[in-house]
Amino acid sequence: MRHNKVGSVMTTDVVHAAYSTPFKEVARLLADHRISGLPVIDDDDKVIGVVSETDLMVRQAAAPGPYGEKHRTPLSQLTRGARKQAAKAQARTAGELMSDPPVTVHAEDTIVEAARTMAGRHVERLPVLDEEDRLVGIVTRRDLLQVFLRPDDEIRDEVIEEVLVRALWMPPHSVEVAVAEGVVTLTGHMERKAETEIAVSMTRRTDGVVDVVDKLTYRQDDARIREEQALHGAADDWLRGL
């Protein structure tokens, strides 16, 4: 299947910071560009961390109140995570503020892979790297959702060409493919049950498909045949071992 790549939807003009970028400059970059986070890179354009609005809020929350400093627990008595937060509270640069290691994707990764990474790691944006792991872009949740804006006709054409013709070697009109609002309905008769399962599975993985309605029928239940062959094979192996 041909999936859209991250490189096709990423933003290439990336707002970023260096390790030594001052705290106020980071805040200004986020505010001026109306973004919630940015990557921190080294001199070789390698991403070493990410600074988010949450990181800045940790620093701001640690500022003294109107009645002076609050009592602070000594760093030696804190957990590793708490020590890290306490250090951020004193941060003056992007490098001291950033969260690391960064969660990234590569430009050649599919949109599906990027979406899984984003959902699994609970992040809203991902720095995009090239083959040498250098920063080349940024991709956000909104960018990834563009895949669901594909026209229904475009989705239908891809299902016919990639699933029916190329994968299953079937004539393009042997199965009726209807698409409405990203929901694909497959209607028709196929030779084997395995073919219907492949058709539904591959269609479901097509970019822009919201769901698949399976109305396919088949002549031969080859799943039962495969089970019988496996049983016969096991019996033959047992008899040979006698």
Side-chain angles (χ1 to χ4, degrees), residues 3-241:
H3 290 283
N4 286 333
K5 304 296 185 180
V6 171
S8 68
V9 297
M10 71 182 184
T11 299
T12 56
D13 185 15
V14 187
V15 180
H16 60 270
Y19 188 95
S20 60
T21 302
F23 177 95
K24 284 195 173 183
E25 176 65 10
V26 173
R28 185 188 67 78
L29 288 171
L30 295 179
D32 288 354
H33 294 276
R34 297 182 180 181
I35 54 179
S36 60
L38 52 79
V40 181
I41 63 175
D42 61 15
D43 294 336
D44 197 30
D45 290 338
K46 301 289 183 66
V47 180
I48 56 177
V50 174
V51 175
S52 67
E53 291 175 329
T54 302
D55 295 321
L56 269 69
M57 290 302 295
V58 171
R59 176 70 175 83
Q60 187 65 22
Y67 302 106
E69 291 279 358
K70 293 182 179 180
H71 172 72
R72 291 195 179 119
T73 303
L75 288 177
S76 60
Q77 298 180 21
L78 297 174
T79 64
R80 181 179 179 182
R83 287 198 300 271
K84 197 168 185 178
Q85 290 296 93
K88 283 187 180 184
Q90 305 301 315
R92 295 183 179 180
T93 67
E96 295 170 343
L97 278 169
M98 70 183 186
S99 298
D100 64 298
V103 182
T104 62
V105 291
H106 284 82
E108 286 301 307
D109 289 343
T110 66
I111 289 177
V112 173
E113 291 170 330
R116 287 173 180 167
T117 298
M118 195 173 285
R121 300 299 295 272
H122 305 289
V123 294
E124 296 182 359
R125 60 185 61 238
L126 294 166
V128 183
L129 313 180
D130 63 13
E131 294 178 352
E132 297 180 347
D133 290 336
R134 290 187 171 89
L135 180 68
V136 292
I138 197 88
V139 66
T140 66
R141 290 180 180 178
R142 181 173 297 178
D143 295 329
L144 298 184
L145 288 175
Q146 288 182 20
V147 69
F148 291 109
L149 300 180
R150 292 186 72 190
D152 289 340
D153 288 345
E154 185 177 311
I155 295 173
R156 180 179 181 274
D157 291 343
E158 182 171 341
V159 170
I160 292 173
E161 179 64 24
E162 297 294 329
V163 179
L164 300 182
V165 177
R166 293 196 179 188
L168 295 173
W169 293 10
M170 299 179 65
H173 301 296
S174 56
V175 169
E176 180 184 348
V177 181
V179 187
E181 296 297 320
V183 178
V184 181
T185 301
L186 301 176
T187 307
H189 188 73
M190 306 179 83
E191 179 65 19
R192 296 179 293 125
K193 181 180 180 181
E195 291 175 336
T196 67
E197 294 172 345
I198 292 171
V200 171
S201 177
M202 293 187 69
T203 299
R204 198 179 300 279
R205 295 201 302 271
T206 301
D207 289 338
V209 171
V210 176
D211 199 4
V212 178
V213 178
D214 179 8
K215 293 186 177 180
L216 296 171
T217 58
Y218 50 87
R219 187 185 70 81
Q220 185 180 59
D221 186 353
D222 52 337
R224 177 176 296 179
I225 294 175
R226 291 196 302 269
E227 289 177 0
E228 292 175 353
Q229 289 174 342
L231 288 173
H232 284 306
D236 291 342
D237 290 341
W238 182 79
L239 289 173
R240 280 195 295 268

